[in-house]
């Protein structure tokens, strides 16, 4: 029987030791907000870290007592009897530094001031996140993860874990991602950032003190993002050229269902997402490129890895196309790593990694069952 | 010997009779600005109309005496000895209504007022443009075009000519276009429009009276457009992840060459392009859908056509992919039209239709030579 993890509670962990960042800056002290599902076993070897992508958080599964509608973003995957089975695994979701969902970020009051960090929050990289997560694992008493798992930007974190902490990760589950953004990927990020930064309500990132939010810029940024998350095909199927009122208005109002959908999603997003966080997270995406310090040689960058890998991509994902996953697989194979690769036939584009396609979830279930079979062997 | 048409002069034609528009509105009187190259023959059957796309105009070939750098946008195609040979053909470029390059549009002073039309300029459709061009042809004494030619939005006009005025067009040359936009195409247009409309300097389209231009919105719109004009591959080849300064700045300034390129192009564009025109032209794209009045049956919509067709697409064009051209070809073949179709192997994406790829230009040359062979036969 598959079930929900039920009511969950976010927890907060304080770190007083400064975190040195890749930029050369450092973050004085900080909080990480997280959730856990299932129980850490006696051998402490059944922990799975779930890394999140742009618009997600530590709330990965279950619901909150006071918000029964607020279901975790990967609840279809994680729970008792689900592919990532919380009766076997101790699953952890942690909110990334720089985010706007509870961990220290641009909205946090900057120590020694009475104002939020805002634009002075340091630029954070994928590697910085992984280092902060490793400290977090230390505090939880987890020396080695059974798996680190993520899709999209989360997949980059799982990949970074595998070469930054090779001894601390038994399996890396790397879904719908790339070893670095393409020029086109960066271009979309840059347009989104320009939309936010040039919104007069952005005030150079100090919008908090003006009591406003760069809503227009955030909306445009979100619309651009949304287009890239969906395949052309699924957009055609879901919306096509359907009209809201059955006829053209001969105006620039909403005529097409797709316009209505994008505006609605964008408005919702701009009501809660932090503009400075959007900039930080797109920059983390842009900057991720482990091959860079190895003269562009990804295989060299991944030589330090020791984990087993599951790499998965989706046929209609044009944001991080299967070819981008194959580059990762080839670099791992060049290092004789143990890699399972699946290219999943799915209609939904990049968003497919969040959906419960049976082939996809079957694959994850089988992979985690294989991990279960090995649990305790390292004791 | 291939040469330039040399120095050219824009001309202006005044129409006092109102033009009834598809929206139900009508345009009182209007001007069309145009250029011609070559000579109309005695049989008046060698005229070729070139229809333009979003960011183009009547200035199709040659240069201006006072602006020797201002070369027409399809100069590589049109001139003495070029694929569209001005020693054989009388080639006409006309600026569309609603544009910002000379023909009546939002920047034009509205009759009876001392203010530009601005947002009160009526929404124009592809079909409206074709009707205005037919009147224009009447005044030039051209009963039937040897060909109407266009790429992208220009290709939609060429296609519309073929079913609106079947007796007045011997050949339709329809390049890198679609019989209607997909949901994804509309989505990109909508984001661009939102960027413009929500720019506070847009002032509901009345920015002229405030002495400002919604530059930020126009820039974001242009950046989005630009990304869709280029293939992922050519962006990777041209820019890749190349950095301007050799290292990350750990900021949101320009780090990557692609960012620099997009910003530069966008700034240039926003310095001359009219925001109301951008809205009008993207809406014309959205609304074009000849199948709509035929229950979605494109073959039925094209049943009235009589022309011969050259349809061409480019393998890496993801804005209007080859599949979209094939839909047109299939609908024409269902009507037993004479169709030449070419899917051209080109790296540059949608922009390829403006470039002088030898295979592409060879195809156009051969097609126009075939037209030459038939000239005079209809006398």
């Amino acid at each position: 029987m598959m079930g929900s993890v039920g009511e969950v509670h976010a927890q907060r962990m304080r770190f007083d030791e400064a975190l040195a960042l890749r930029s050369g800056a450092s973050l004085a002290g900080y909080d990480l907000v997280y959730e856990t599902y299932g129980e850490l076993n006696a051998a402490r070897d059944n922990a799975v870290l779930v890394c999140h992508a742009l618009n997600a958080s530590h709330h990965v599964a279950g619901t909150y007592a006071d918000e029964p509608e607020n279901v975790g973003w990967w609840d279809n995957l994680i729970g008792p009897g689900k592919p990532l089975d919380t009766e076997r695994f101790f699953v952890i979701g942690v909110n990334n530094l720089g985010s706007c969902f509870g961990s220290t970020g641009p909205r946090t009051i900057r120590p020694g001031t009475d104002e939020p960090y805002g634009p002075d929050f340091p630029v954070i990289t994928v590697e910085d996140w992984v280092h902060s997560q490793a400290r977090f694992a230390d505090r939880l008493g987890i020396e080695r993860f059974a798996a680190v798992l993520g899709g999209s930007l989360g997949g980059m974190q799982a990949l970074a874990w595998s070469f930054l902490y090779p001894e601390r990760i038994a399996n890396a589950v790397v879904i719908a991602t790339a070893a670095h953004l393409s020029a086109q990927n960066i271009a979309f990020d840059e347009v989104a950032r320009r939309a936010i930064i040039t919104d007069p309500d952005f005030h150079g990132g100090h919008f908090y003190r003006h009591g406003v939010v760069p809503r227009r810029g955030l909306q445009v940024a979100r619309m651009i993002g949304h287009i890239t998350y969906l395949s052309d095909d699924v957009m055609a199927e879901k919306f096509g050229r359907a009209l809201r009122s059955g006829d053209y208005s001969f105006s620039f109002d909403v005529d097409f269902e797709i316009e209505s959908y994008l505006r609605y999603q964008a408005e919702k997003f701009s009501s809660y997402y932090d503009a400075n966080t959007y900039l930080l997270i797109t920059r983390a995406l842009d900057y991720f490129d482990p091959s860079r310090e190895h003269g562009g040689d990804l295989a060299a960058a991944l030589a330090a890895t020791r984990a087993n890998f599951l790499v998965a991509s989706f046929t209609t994902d044009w944001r991080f196309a299967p070819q981008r996953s194959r580059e990762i697989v080839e670099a791992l194979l060049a290092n004789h790593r143990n890699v399972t690769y699946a290219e999943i036939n799915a209609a939904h584009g990049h968003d497919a990694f969040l959906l419960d396609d049976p082939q996809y979830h079957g694959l994850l279930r089988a992979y985690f069952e294989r991990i279960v079979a090995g649990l305790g062997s390292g004791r």
Side-chain angles (χ1 to χ4, degrees), chain A residues 174-177 309-315 320-330 332-333 338-344 359 363 367 370:
Chain A
V174 175
I175 303 172
T177 194
F309 288 83
L310 171 61
V311 179
S313 67
F314 300 92
T315 48
F320 295 130
Q323 176 51 30
R324 314 305 314 281
S325 283
R326 273 183 247 130
E327 290 163 15
I328 297 172
V329 170
E330 280 159 26
L332 291 169
L333 291 178
N338 189 349
V339 186
T340 301
Y341 175 56
E343 207 163 296
I344 294 155
Q359 198 196 342
L363 172 78
Y367 195 84
R370 205 167 74 178

Side-chain angles (χ1 to χ4, degrees), chain A residues 161-365:
Chain A
W161 262 97
S162 75
F163 62 81
L164 291 175
Y165 294 99
E167 308 301 339
R168 301 192 65 175
I169 164 176
N171 293 274
V173 182
V174 175
I175 303 172
T177 194
H180 57 71
L181 295 199
S182 70
Q184 190 191 68
N185 295 146
I186 297 170
F188 279 121
D189 282 350
E190 166 68 0
V191 185
R193 282 192 297 265
R194 295 310 295 164
I196 290 170
I197 290 172
T198 64
D199 183 331
D201 283 339
F202 182 64
H203 294 289
H206 292 290
F207 50 91
Y208 318 92
R209 56 169 87 135
H210 297 266
V212 293
V213 163
R215 205 173 285 272
R216 294 164 293 221
L218 268 170
Q219 286 177 10
V220 167
R222 180 58 168 175
M223 290 169 98
I224 294 168
H226 218 98
I227 297 173
T228 70
Y229 302 151
L230 295 178
S231 71
D232 192 15
D233 280 356
V234 88
M235 258 199 194
E237 195 185 303
K238 230 172 135 176
F239 304 103
R241 297 182 51 84
L243 296 168
R244 292 214 74 194
S245 75
D247 209 350
Y248 293 160
S249 69
F250 293 97
S251 76
F252 309 117
D253 293 339
V254 166
D255 272 345
F256 296 94
E257 291 288 358
I258 181 66
E259 296 176 307
S260 167
Y261 174 78
L262 286 176
R263 285 200 201 183
Y264 173 78
Q265 294 291 337
E267 271 165 34
K268 205 169 70 171
F269 182 76
S270 71
S271 72
Y272 66 81
Y273 206 85
D274 182 80
N276 285 309
T277 291
Y278 204 99
L279 303 183
L280 287 171
I281 290 195
T282 54
R283 212 41 158 172
L285 277 160
D286 292 354
Y287 282 174
F288 185 64
D289 182 9
S291 74
R292 194 164 164 263
E293 285 162 26
H294 299 269
D297 182 350
L298 183 60
L302 300 183
T305 60
R306 291 292 172 269
N308 299 321
F309 288 83
L310 171 61
V311 179
S313 67
F314 300 92
T315 48
T316 57
D317 183 352
W318 62 279
R319 186 180 174 92
F320 295 130
Q323 176 51 30
R324 314 305 314 281
S325 283
R326 273 183 247 130
E327 290 163 15
I328 297 172
V329 170
E330 280 159 26
L332 291 169
L333 291 178
N335 287 297
H336 309 291
R337 293 285 93 72
N338 189 349
V339 186
T340 301
Y341 175 56
E343 207 163 296
I344 294 155
N345 209 322
H348 285 81
H350 189 59
D351 261 4
F353 91 85
L354 295 167
L355 305 178
D356 63 352
D357 175 85
Q359 198 196 342
Y360 169 45
H361 273 198
L363 172 78
L364 289 173
R365 180 181 292 278

Side-chain angles (χ1 to χ4, degrees), chain A residues 2-8 35 37 50 56-64 68-86 91 149 353-356 361 365:
Chain A
M2 304 213 305
S4 166
V5 297
E7 275 179 23
V8 297
E35 292 179 8
Y37 325 108
V50 179
S57 71
H58 53 285
H59 184 37
V60 183
T63 58
Y64 296 134
E69 307 287 299
N70 187 351
V71 180
W73 57 273
W74 224 345
D75 190 79
N76 60 26
L77 183 75
I78 297 161
K82 288 185 179 173
L84 176 43
D85 188 348
T86 50
V91 179
L149 157 70
F353 91 85
L354 295 167
L355 305 178
D356 63 352
H361 273 198
R365 180 181 292 278

